[in-house]
């Protein structure tokens, strides 16, 4: 639908209403973003999803927080589009909630703070193997505990010629 509706808040509102009308018991979190490859401007709406991460080339890390509630949950919510200007060599780290909600045998979740600290550490040592290292750290944290949810990870590095 994105080619038909470039206004991200309008698109999210349409989805919100459609899900509420067609299924009263379902909702979903959603991170929707559009990156302009020329200006490196990232426009996004984060509908109740965990904060995603912007890894700056200087080694600092910024969270891209929620800008509205989950789609389909109490339809008619206010969604906001945010804009962030990326720089060459910045990276975006996207993931699903199963990553930070992975629990150890004591029932303690891996959590956002652990993930952010790991990303800072991994960022300073380079990107080779970053996703595998994050996956390994979460698996080791869980120990013998089975994952209760799937975890999807994606790393996008900005390289402008």
């Amino acid at each position: 639908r994105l080619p038909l509706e470039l206004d991200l808040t309008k698109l999210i509102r349409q989805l919100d209403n459609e899900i509420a009308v067609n299924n009263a018991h379902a909702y979903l979190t959603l991170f929707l973003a559009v990156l302009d490859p020329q200006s490196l401007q990232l426009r996004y709406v984060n509908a109740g999803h965990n904060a995603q991460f912007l890894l700056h080339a200087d080694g600092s890390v910024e969270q891209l927080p929620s800008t509205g509630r989950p789609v389909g949950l109490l339809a008619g919510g206010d969604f906001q589009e945010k804009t962030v200007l990326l720089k060459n060599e910045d990276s975006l780290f996207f993931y699903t909630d199963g990553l930070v909600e992975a629990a150890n045998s004591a029932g303690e979740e891996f959590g956002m703070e652990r993930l952010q600290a790991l990303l800072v550490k991994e960022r300073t040592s380079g990107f080779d193997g970053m996703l595998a290292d994050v996956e390994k750290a979460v698996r080791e944290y869980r120990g013998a505990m089975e994952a209760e949810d799937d975890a999807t990870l994606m790393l996008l590095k900005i390289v402008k010629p």
Side-chain angles (χ1 to χ4, degrees):
R1 290 188 180 195
L2 195 53
L4 302 175
E5 182 53 69
L6 298 178
D7 182 329
L8 299 182
T9 55
K10 189 173 179 183
L11 177 57
I12 291 289
R13 281 189 198 106
Q14 290 170 358
L15 293 172
D16 186 44
N17 289 328
E18 287 176 25
I19 289 172
V21 167
N22 293 316
N23 190 344
H25 303 291
Y27 67 89
L28 59 110
T29 65
L30 178 68
F31 186 88
L32 178 65
V34 175
L35 175 62
D36 180 326
Q38 298 306 314
S39 69
L40 298 184
Q41 180 182 55
L42 181 78
R43 299 183 303 119
Y44 74 91
V45 173
N46 183 346
H49 202 63
N50 294 86
Q52 304 297 288
F53 289 97
L54 168 54
L55 312 174
H56 293 284
D58 66 7
S60 62
V61 176
E62 180 180 345
Q63 291 187 14
L64 304 176
S66 181
T67 63
R69 65 176 161 240
V71 174
L73 180 67
L74 305 172
D78 185 30
F79 300 98
Q80 295 179 340
E81 180 179 308
K82 298 283 184 176
T83 301
V84 63
L85 189 58
L86 305 178
K87 295 180 180 156
N88 194 38
E89 300 296 319
D90 283 350
S91 296
L92 295 160
F93 180 80
F94 301 114
Y95 66 99
T96 58
D97 60 349
L99 183 71
V100 292
E101 292 173 359
N104 62 16
S105 59
E108 299 164 333
E109 294 183 347
F110 188 78
M112 291 287 292
E113 288 180 17
R114 237 181 228 98
L115 176 59
Q116 185 164 340
L118 182 59
L119 292 175
V120 168
K121 178 181 166 251
E122 291 291 326
R123 178 68 177 105
T124 58
S125 62
F127 289 103
D128 292 342
M130 179 186 254
L131 294 179
D133 290 347
V134 170
E135 216 173 2
K136 179 181 175 192
V138 172
R139 195 172 39 256
E140 288 175 356
Y141 182 80
R142 272 194 353 250
M145 300 298 294
E146 288 291 323
E148 293 186 19
D149 195 1
D150 65 299
T152 301
L153 310 141
M154 183 173 79
L155 182 65
L156 175 67
K157 185 173 180 182
I158 305 302
V159 180
K160 192 166 182 177

